[in-house]
Amino acid sequence: MAVKKGTPKIVIQGGGRLAGELSVQGAKNSILPLLSATVLCQGESVLHNCPNLSDADAACRILNCLGCKCAREGKSISVNSKEVLNTDVPKDLMREMRSSIVFLGAILGRTHQCKLTFPGGCELGPRPIDLHVMALRKMGVNIEEKGGFLNCNAPKGIQGANISLALPSVGATENIILAAVTAKGTTEIHNAAREPEITDLAEFLNKCGAKISGAGTGTVIIEGVEQLGGAEHTVISDRIVAATYLCCAAITRGELVLKNVDYRHISAVLPVLEQMGCRIYTYDDNKIYINAKKQLRAPYKITTSAHPGFPTDAQPMFMALASTLEGTTMFVETIFDNRFRHAEGFSRLGAKITVSDRVAVVEGTDKLTGADLEATDLRGGAALITAALFAQKTSTITGITHIDRGYDDIVGNLKKIGANIKNA
Ligand code: EPZ
């Protein structure tokens, strides 16, 4: 693979054992809906524990385009939404980040109108928004899809509605909550997503004066209120970043203490690591210790599913780990159509992986050898780093802008626990 001279890359000399302790960053998939939620607040909000991520920067740029004054100070972001002057999200910013669709519900909730482009598909296959559109139409929003744009308006304001989701979509659940908090009447969401990021969003909105109950369960009830004020809130820790570092420790047969992590948010991931032979201790409510110093074996089968099941976002890193375990592991990906692209990178390192549609079969090997790799999506990129930590000799990874979307200084953190890794 010819890499253009000067292309930013990560260089890893694999084979070393990781050991030490790390503090886990705030959650990317929480900070994005939280920043969107500030559009609804007629006042100033401050969010703490905000990771330095390009996706968070993009969300702040959208807020500033809307007329909300957004400013970062270290790990805190303040947003003053006294005035929302604009209801259109610029095309280039919509394209920069697919998850900017989550601004739709908040802008509609505040201004009853919005114009934005269809969110770009991404590396994980088509990213439809039919559930978002179905629900918002039920809430009285006229949505016209024309020339790649969504033109939305609610002349009679947003109405509460009874909504059943065909599947527990995280983004659709978030958009419905954001549109419903200042709607006329009550909204019920059935078959709602139960991810911890939904609970975090509801907790922030309730601090602002919303009336949301049932967040984190399959049925969420939102009683519309007149208006919301601002609030201060600390973003939950990133469960997928935590799972990533646990996989990095496990693949190098090392040991690691993770701080500022809620082990309950990865309750489907920890048993899989134990099944492989890792020793896991959770303590002090916000720490996880992993010891992977002994012979590990394949966990036979990993099937992704909506929370509280095994998270699809952790599947790539676990496939990297499974590539180095004695035995065979079958991965079944039930959430996204095209989420095995990282397998090609692992095969370049010498992994034995067969992919057929949404099933991948991994035959573990005790030998991977460094290669030149390219990240094609966020978690796939993190998984390539994970695999390269095990591979003998040197690996290079380009496409690191994908990784910067969701990891705050992954190179610095891995270096801190003994990895031979650097930006070049
Ligand atoms: C969120 O994406 C996360 N992103 C994703 O994390 C995560 O993988 C996903 O939830 C599932 O947990 C953010 O929170 C910013 P969905 P989202 O709507 O909301 C289909 C990462 O790496 N669907 O729950 O887009 C959809 O195609 C990212 O951090 C419809 O068919 O996920 C997918 O197959 C990747 N119609 C499935 O549902 C819809 O209207 C789950 O999508 C909406 C979704």
Side-chain angles (χ1 to χ4, degrees):
M1 177 181 78
V3 177
K4 211 149 82 349
K5 206 164 162 35
T7 309
K9 56 180 177 282
I10 293 174
V11 181
I12 296 173
Q13 177 68 36
R17 183 171 268 186
L18 300 189
E21 64 177 54
L22 287 176
S23 184
V24 177
Q25 71 183 57
K28 166 183 87 81
N29 291 348
S30 205
I31 182 72
L32 298 179
L34 286 170
L35 286 168
S36 164
T38 62
V39 173
L40 290 159
C41 303
Q42 313 235 8
E44 170 137 19
S45 298
V46 184
L47 301 174
H48 301 294
N49 194 31
C50 301
N52 287 308
L53 305 173
S54 52
D55 269 9
D57 297 343
C60 288
R61 281 197 290 279
I62 291 175
L63 285 172
N64 286 324
C65 282
L66 298 172
C68 309
K69 296 178 185 59
C70 180
R72 176 187 276 272
E73 213 171 299
K75 291 282 195 282
S76 297
I77 295 178
S78 62
V79 185
N80 183 329
S81 302
K82 282 202 179 67
E83 285 185 323
V84 176
L85 309 168
N86 192 350
T87 61
D88 297 4
V89 180
K91 215 170 15 180
D92 57 326
L93 286 181
M94 271 305 286
R95 196 168 304 118
E96 201 178 316
M97 184 178 69
R98 184 209 171 274
S99 27
S100 33
I101 187 68
V102 79
F103 276 89
L104 177 56
I107 298 170
L108 285 170
R110 179 71 185 266
T111 69
H112 302 165
Q113 64 182 48
C114 179
K115 180 178 174 188
L116 44 75
T117 56
F118 240 83
C122 78
E123 316 75 17
L124 305 182
R127 303 291 291 278
I129 56 168
D130 54 313
L131 301 176
H132 301 241
V133 171
M134 171 279 293
L136 293 170
R137 281 178 171 148
K138 272 194 153 182
M139 298 171 80
V141 182
N142 301 322
I143 301 181
E144 188 205 0
E145 303 166 39
K146 203 166 155 210
F149 280 92
L150 289 174
N151 290 305
C152 313
N153 69 17
K156 299 198 187 81
I158 312 281
Q159 318 295 325
N162 203 331
I163 295 161
S164 291
L165 290 174
L167 52 85
S169 156
V170 173
T173 302
E174 290 166 346
N175 255 333
I176 297 165
I177 290 173
L178 290 163
V181 284
T182 54
K184 292 189 194 77
T186 299
T187 298
E188 290 187 15
I189 310 173
H190 299 280
N191 196 24
R194 299 162 56 183
E195 273 70 3
E197 292 78 23
I198 306 278
T199 308
D200 204 27
L201 175 64
E203 280 176 6
F204 169 70
L205 287 166
N206 283 342
K207 283 180 190 170
C208 298
K211 289 187 181 151
I212 305 167
S213 57
T217 74
T219 302
V220 182
I221 314 281
I222 307 105
E223 209 184 307
V225 295
E226 268 303 300
Q227 72 173 35
L228 297 184
E232 207 159 341
H233 184 75
T234 298
V235 180
I236 56 171
S237 69
D238 194 310
R239 59 198 170 95
I240 306 301
V241 169
T244 306
Y245 289 135
L246 290 172
C247 284
C248 292
I251 204 168
T252 61
R253 308 314 188 252
E255 59 179 330
L256 175 65
V257 170
L258 282 186
K259 298 188 296 183
N260 301 324
V261 56
D262 187 334
Y263 64 86
R264 295 165 301 176
H265 292 170
I266 43 174
S267 51
V269 160
L270 299 179
V272 176
L273 290 167
E274 288 176 315
Q275 209 184 346
M276 292 173 178
C278 299
R279 276 190 295 134
I280 302 268
Y281 300 110
T282 58
Y283 57 103
D284 293 353
D285 238 4
N286 67 354
K287 292 188 184 68
I288 299 177
Y289 169 75
I290 182 172
N291 183 315
K293 287 184 169 176
K294 55 185 282 237
Q295 177 72 18
L296 302 182
R297 59 192 172 282
Y300 171 61
K301 187 173 183 183
I302 293 178
T303 303
T304 65
S305 61
H307 195 78
F310 190 95
T312 173
D313 295 346
Q315 174 261 103
M317 294 73 88
F318 270 77
M319 188 180 286
L321 176 53
S323 304
T324 72
L325 303 180
E326 193 186 330
T328 301
T329 308
M330 179 192 285
F331 285 84
V332 180
E333 172 56 58
T334 70
I335 305 291
F336 288 110
D337 287 330
N338 181 21
R339 196 168 209 170
F340 288 136
R341 291 182 62 182
H342 38 278
E344 192 265 329
F346 301 154
S347 305
R348 290 172 67 86
L349 296 168
K352 300 188 187 77
I353 303 174
T354 316
V355 172
S356 161
D357 195 22
R358 287 188 174 215
V359 176
V361 177
V362 179
E363 261 179 76
T365 169
D366 58 3
K367 192 169 180 326
L368 295 179
T369 309
D372 291 336
L373 306 167
E374 182 179 6
T376 54
D377 70 272
L378 165 58
R379 305 302 173 186
L384 292 178
I385 291 176
T386 307
L389 289 170
F390 177 87
Q392 299 297 327
K393 302 202 182 95
T394 303
S395 297
T396 64
I397 297 168
T398 53
I400 54 181
T401 49
H402 290 291
I403 302 168
D404 293 341
R405 286 187 44 223
Y407 289 85
D408 186 347
D409 192 19
I410 189 169
V411 170
N413 279 310
L414 288 174
K415 209 180 279 183
K416 214 184 282 179
I417 55 175
N420 185 334
I421 181 171
K422 65 182 179 187
N423 284 304

